[in-house]
Amino acid sequence: MNTKVKFTAGRNIAMKLPPHQYEATLQFYRDVIGLKEITEHAPSVGFEFGSNSLWLDSVPGISQAETWLEIVTNDIAAASEHLKAAGVVRCDEFEPLPEGFQAFWVSSPASIIHLVCKDSESWK
């Protein structure tokens, strides 16, 4: 393993939801469970989820909810090379990222999508 690259769990969790489940799920976390809503990144909708942030996204074309996780790294280029050497395929087609955002998408062997991003890019 490359000792220069470091990975840690990010604080952001994204729940990708079919449009027909989005409003009910939003209401569940906001009104039924009573989690505090995060408003700094509007129009994105998020909730304080312990020490993490839970983001809800309505995604046309999917039939069931998916959970996506964030992994942060100190060196995005080294992280990309390390994961490539381990046989992990980048999946940047999953969702466009903003221009200049130091991040990329990968999938775990269990098909869980992960955003790998530079530690300074993670939403706080």
Side-chain angles (χ1 to χ4, degrees):
M1 181 173 158
N2 184 337
T3 58
K4 293 168 91 175
V5 65
K6 178 183 174 189
F7 295 101
T8 56
R11 66 178 313 239
N12 293 298
I13 302 165
M15 190 175 296
K16 307 295 185 172
L17 301 158
H20 70 277
Q21 294 177 338
Y22 180 76
E23 286 299 325
T25 305
L26 179 67
Q27 180 184 16
F28 173 78
Y29 286 107
R30 183 184 55 222
D31 303 334
V32 177
I33 301 298
L35 296 181
K36 182 178 178 192
E37 196 165 347
I38 300 169
T39 58
E40 300 90 71
H41 299 289
S44 295
V45 177
F47 295 95
E48 292 182 8
F49 198 78
S51 61
N52 296 307
S53 298
L54 174 63
W55 299 97
L56 303 183
D57 298 322
S58 178
V59 180
I62 65 171
S63 62
Q64 62 187 24
E66 297 180 7
T67 301
W68 294 17
L69 302 174
E70 177 186 63
I71 297 173
V72 295
T73 183
N74 61 324
D75 185 331
I76 198 73
S80 180
E81 288 303 314
H82 173 78
L83 292 169
K84 182 179 179 180
V88 178
V89 177
R90 283 179 59 156
C91 304
D92 293 325
E93 70 279 3
F94 286 154
E95 183 175 294
L97 295 170
E99 185 72 32
F101 190 68
Q102 297 182 63
F104 57 90
W105 300 104
V106 297
S107 178
S108 76
S111 299
I112 303 299
I113 308 306
H114 293 75
L115 173 68
V116 181
C117 69
K118 178 87 171 86
D119 47 15
S120 61
E121 299 282 350
S122 179
W123 281 3
K124 306 270 188 239

